[in-house]
Amino acid sequence: MNRIILTAKNDQRVEFYDGATHARLAALDMPAPVHELALTSERAYGTVYGGGIFGKNKDPDHRVVVVDLAAREIDGFIDVGTYLAPHGLMFGADGLLWVTAELSNAIVGVDVVRRKVAAAIDTGGASHWLTVSPDGTRAYVSHKQTPCLAVVDLLKRRVAGQVDIPNRCEGVALSKDGERLYVASHTAAELNVIDTRREKLIQSIRVEGGGEDRTQLRRVRVSPDERWLLLSSHVDGNVAIFSLPDLEQTALVKVGKAPMGFGFPAVADQALVCNHDDGVVSVLDLAAGRISASFATGMGCEFVEYY
């Protein structure tokens, strides 16, 4: 946990930083914009999304890049074939890397050892984000264009149900026990809470001071110690901080332009947030509800993680 990796998609790079000093250690050129990463102890797997953005991706890609973390070098690509615009990704308990294919309305299970697609599931909508249950049997896939979230049975390889989200879906995150699913709305400043045992929406929480209800990219993530939940709003330029388990909003922090992904160091009550349009990462003091530091990155920083 003493290193940071992030995607700087506008500069078509994956970048590496010292976790303590935030000094840049290396920048690895990519053949096209990489949006999201999933990490193992030895490698990072990144989705090569294509040259556009959601709804305007006229040149979609179909690859997952493999990065050797120790060497900080590209270790090849995994071609997902006709499954276009890979974006969100996460490992399941079955060892497969589950990847959304936005323009193919699907998720694909990638065998990273054999480096090939092992499974594909039609989700019935533009699959942009997903999260996988702790036991690896379920995936929850958000559809930005339709007011529902797909519940996917990864063992039977089919959609098992859906949960209606009136203001459509954005970022998704699970509690450690898998019993609560947190979903950011796409067209409203709100956080939705789903009981996964009943597959039912049980609460929608307004972001206090979150601005007008308008369509924008929102992400959500739970801190590893489950003390905090963070929700970023891309257009409004803020991060809402909620305490757990009570889900009380403790702060709304104005950060940089177009905040996106979060990362958590080993230090308690601290988080990073990528300011995509500034090329800056803000360091958040979660207990105080303020920015404590920042450091410059490549442009288009979207995903950040410690390793």
Side-chain angles (χ1 to χ4, degrees), residues 15 18 50 76 80 117 227 266-267 302 307:
E15 299 182 341
D18 183 279
V80 295
V117 173
R227 292 190 59 195
V267 179
E302 176 163 340
Y307 70 98

Side-chain angles (χ1 to χ4, degrees), residues 108-264:
V108 294
V110 175
D111 183 330
V112 298
V113 176
R114 300 172 65 196
R115 299 199 174 188
K116 62 184 297 183
V117 173
I121 304 169
D122 187 335
T123 63
S127 306
H128 197 69
W129 299 106
L130 89 166
T131 188
V132 177
S133 63
D135 65 4
T137 63
R138 286 280 194 275
Y140 302 93
V141 184
S142 67
H143 295 160
K144 295 173 73 159
Q145 295 174 317
T146 53
C148 67
L149 175 138
V151 181
V152 180
D153 186 323
L154 296 178
L155 300 180
K156 295 182 179 179
R157 306 286 197 256
R158 64 178 179 84
V159 173
Q162 71 176 41
V163 180
D164 293 337
I165 308 290
N167 290 307
R168 292 158 47 190
C169 306
E170 269 287 359
V172 290
L174 274 167
S175 60
K176 279 187 177 179
D177 61 13
E179 294 186 0
R180 289 290 181 269
L181 175 66
Y182 305 105
V183 184
S185 286
H186 186 42
T187 61
E190 67 184 4
L191 171 70
N192 303 284
V193 185
I194 294 168
D195 181 336
T196 59
R197 292 169 298 179
R198 294 182 289 160
E199 294 181 359
K200 183 179 179 180
L201 175 65
I202 58 173
Q203 191 176 12
S204 292
I205 303 168
R206 294 285 304 177
V207 176
E208 296 177 10
E212 300 176 3
D213 286 342
R214 50 184 172 178
T215 300
Q216 59 182 301
L217 189 155
R218 294 183 176 89
R219 299 194 185 209
V220 61
R221 193 159 175 198
V222 176
S223 65
D225 60 8
E226 291 201 288
R227 292 190 59 195
W228 308 100
L229 180 145
L230 306 181
L231 188 151
S232 61
S233 295
H234 172 269
V235 176
D236 295 334
N238 58 46
V239 172
I241 302 175
F242 295 86
S243 60
L244 290 173
D246 59 308
L247 284 173
E248 176 187 355
Q249 183 177 331
T250 61
L252 184 72
V253 184
K254 189 71 175 178
V255 289
K257 293 181 180 178
M260 288 198 176
F262 298 105
F264 293 95

